[in-house]
Amino acid sequence: MSHKEPDSRISVKVEFGEKEGQISLAETQKQVEDSKPKAKTTYKQIQKYVEENYGFKVHTAYIAEVKRNLGLPMYDAPNAVEELKRPRSHPTEKMVLAIKETLAHFEII
């Protein structure tokens, strides 16, 4: 079947330009740019943004807790342990607000 000749062909002529009846290259380029997937934001980027803009560091566990509380998708960590050696502390209200504003900055929420 892969060597079979087609029964018919369709020939399409497309004209690009800015005149009536032509396809705009600028508009086409804008549509391509808009349809590109966004780059994923990493926890390192979130930590760096919080430190630069709010002046304190946040642990990745705090970021994960805020994301979990917001109902955002979470992925299983390959290095997760079943039982923690010590109880995990929770982020302060100041940290939660900073993380939420950072997630909004990166358009995650």
Side-chain angles (χ1 to χ4, degrees), residues 4-105:
K4 185 178 177 183
E5 288 292 319
D7 296 334
S8 63
R9 297 188 196 293
I10 299 174
S11 181
V12 178
K13 183 177 179 183
V14 178
E15 292 186 30
F16 291 98
E18 302 302 323
K19 296 179 184 174
E20 183 71 32
Q22 294 180 332
I23 297 175
S24 169
L25 282 175
E27 187 65 30
T28 303
Q29 185 175 8
K30 183 181 180 300
Q31 289 174 351
V32 168
E33 291 295 322
D34 291 345
S35 66
K36 281 185 179 178
K38 294 179 184 175
K40 290 191 177 184
T41 304
T42 63
Y43 279 34
K44 291 274 187 208
Q45 291 172 316
I46 293 170
Q47 287 176 317
K48 183 179 177 183
Y49 185 87
V50 169
E51 186 174 1
E52 289 174 353
N53 293 289
Y54 297 97
F56 56 86
K57 294 183 180 184
V58 292
H59 194 274
T60 56
Y62 296 163
I63 298 169
E65 185 173 330
V66 171
K67 285 179 69 176
R68 198 175 298 111
N69 290 341
L70 292 172
L72 295 173
M74 301 291 294
Y75 304 100
D76 292 333
N79 59 345
V81 294
E82 288 187 25
E83 190 174 316
L84 297 173
K85 292 180 182 176
R86 58 187 173 144
R88 181 173 291 140
S89 60
H90 299 284
T92 63
E93 192 62 35
K94 181 180 173 183
M95 289 180 181
V96 170
L97 288 173
I99 293 169
K100 283 182 179 180
E101 290 173 10
T102 303
L103 293 174
H105 169 77

